[in-house]
Amino acid sequence: MQISLLQCQSSRDVAQNLQFIESQLDLLPRVAGEEQLVVLPECCLLFGGHESQQGEYLLNCGLEESPLKSAMSDLAKKFNVYLVAGTIPVLAEEKRVYSRTYLFDSAGKVLGNYDKLHLFDVDVSDGTKEYRESDTFCPGDKISVIDTPFGKLGLAICYDLRFPDLFRAMREAGAELIALPAAFTKVTGAAHWQPLIQARAIETQCFILAAAQWGQHNRGSRETWGQSMIVDPWGRIMAEKMSGCGWVQATLDRSELEQIRQQMPVSEHNRFAPPQLQKN
């Protein structure tokens, strides 16, 4: 299984962000005859100085469904890849939106989607200070685990990483890989990004595919941590990119996952009932 994560430094300029992603897909190293799974980071087509700009963009379009979805579908089809398409705003209620990631197959068809469950309403000691995603976004209400040629793929987004019950629910629903589009702040990323990813991988015995934003955005109004990484079910870092934009790649061996789960069957040993979340 060939997995590729793209680390981005996205801005408010949708056309420029789209052009960058397309140029990187054109350069994507490929293995002949192998399916390719690509994971993009959170807000990869639109990273505003404030979350409200996500909703404003969609409302200004006058559409219930963002044209960004069509752009992502076209990229998956053009480059013949399975694509976890970062996040895009989708109209919800009360002028708020969902932060949604889609999984497209290599023909551009939607295989599934997931709306961010946990919203980042946090005070951080950085230049932004206050993050209030709930002012812009509605939380999702279900998990998403999707059948793919790469295995059963769970979807999560950024702040979800801090909630192990969500990852456990995906494991109980059959997840073998979990994709995590993210835009961790530089402050919280430096403190917690790597240990949280490794913990979720070890607990779920899944591959974690964490694609991140990196650097200063929109002339320094936001700064993100980076360190996109692929971590195996034993918690080992298979590939990572600490800084800069570009690809993080690894070839995953599902037999390794099966061996780890067989030798340490933690899911069978768990004596607590799984969280009652509806499966998509």
Side-chain angles (χ1 to χ4, degrees):
M1 299 186 291
Q2 190 173 9
I3 308 296
S4 299
L5 318 180
L6 183 59
Q7 186 155 287
C8 298
Q9 191 176 20
S10 301
S11 69
R12 299 186 187 98
D13 190 329
V14 173
Q16 185 180 69
N17 295 332
L18 185 60
Q19 182 181 31
F20 171 75
I21 294 169
E22 187 167 3
S23 70
Q24 293 299 303
L25 285 167
D26 197 39
L27 298 171
L28 178 64
R30 307 292 292 269
V31 176
E34 283 195 11
E35 298 278 15
Q36 174 90 255
L37 175 63
V38 171
V39 184
L40 302 178
E42 186 179 23
C43 303
C44 60
L45 287 184
L46 176 61
F47 199 175
H50 188 274
E51 284 75 18
S52 62
Q53 293 178 9
Q54 297 270 331
E56 289 167 5
Y57 172 83
L58 183 59
L59 292 170
N60 289 339
C61 291
L63 300 170
E64 182 174 338
E65 190 168 87
S66 170
L68 302 182
K69 178 185 175 184
S70 296
M72 291 298 196
S73 172
D74 291 344
L75 286 177
K77 184 176 181 180
K78 178 178 180 179
F79 292 99
N80 192 35
V81 296
Y82 283 73
L83 182 65
V84 178
T87 60
I88 62 174
V90 176
L91 193 64
E93 59 186 28
E94 300 174 358
K95 294 187 178 182
R96 292 194 297 169
V97 298
Y98 294 114
S99 179
R100 179 172 295 176
T101 187
Y102 287 96
L103 172 64
F104 297 96
D105 69 12
S106 54
K109 177 185 175 183
V110 174
L111 295 183
N113 63 72
Y114 166 75
D115 296 330
K116 188 174 185 179
L117 270 166
H118 301 98
L119 302 181
F120 192 59
D121 288 359
V122 177
D123 297 332
V124 179
S125 56
D126 62 6
T128 301
K129 306 297 184 186
E130 289 187 353
Y131 296 82
R132 295 292 182 268
E133 286 189 340
S134 63
D135 289 345
T136 299
F137 298 111
C138 285
D141 60 5
K142 58 179 177 285
I143 66 170
S144 186
V145 177
I146 305 162
D147 288 319
T148 77
F150 310 90
K152 289 185 178 292
L153 177 68
L155 298 173
I157 299 171
C158 201
Y159 189 48
D160 284 333
L161 183 61
R162 294 184 181 272
F163 299 88
D165 284 346
L166 168 59
F167 284 72
R168 181 175 157 216
M170 287 189 281
R171 166 64 197 275
E172 293 293 333
E176 298 167 299
L177 309 89
I178 297 173
L180 181 81
F184 253 57
T185 72
K186 184 176 182 181
V187 171
T188 57
H192 300 146
W193 173 253
Q194 180 174 326
L196 284 171
I197 291 173
Q198 289 178 298
R200 299 295 87 84
I202 294 166
E203 293 162 354
T204 62
Q205 297 176 318
C206 288
F207 292 98
I208 305 294
L209 320 175
Q213 293 279 357
W214 164 82
Q216 292 190 330
H217 307 265
N218 303 310
R219 299 181 181 180
S221 61
R222 291 282 293 269
E223 190 168 10
T224 51
W225 173 245
Q227 199 182 3
S228 297
M229 57 200 315
I230 299 171
V231 176
D232 76 8
W234 197 246
R236 294 171 293 213
I237 298 172
M238 301 181 66
E240 68 178 329
K241 186 174 183 62
M242 291 297 301
S243 60
C245 299
W247 291 108
V248 178
Q249 291 190 295
T251 300
L252 309 190
D253 183 357
R254 287 180 64 183
S255 66
E256 177 190 18
L257 177 146
E258 292 165 2
Q259 182 180 24
I260 288 170
R261 291 184 175 187
Q262 182 178 19
Q263 293 177 345
M264 189 178 292
V266 293
S267 184
E268 296 175 20
H269 294 162
N270 195 334
R271 298 180 64 190
F272 291 88
Q276 299 302 308
L277 280 174
Q278 179 184 352
K279 179 179 177 294
N280 186 17

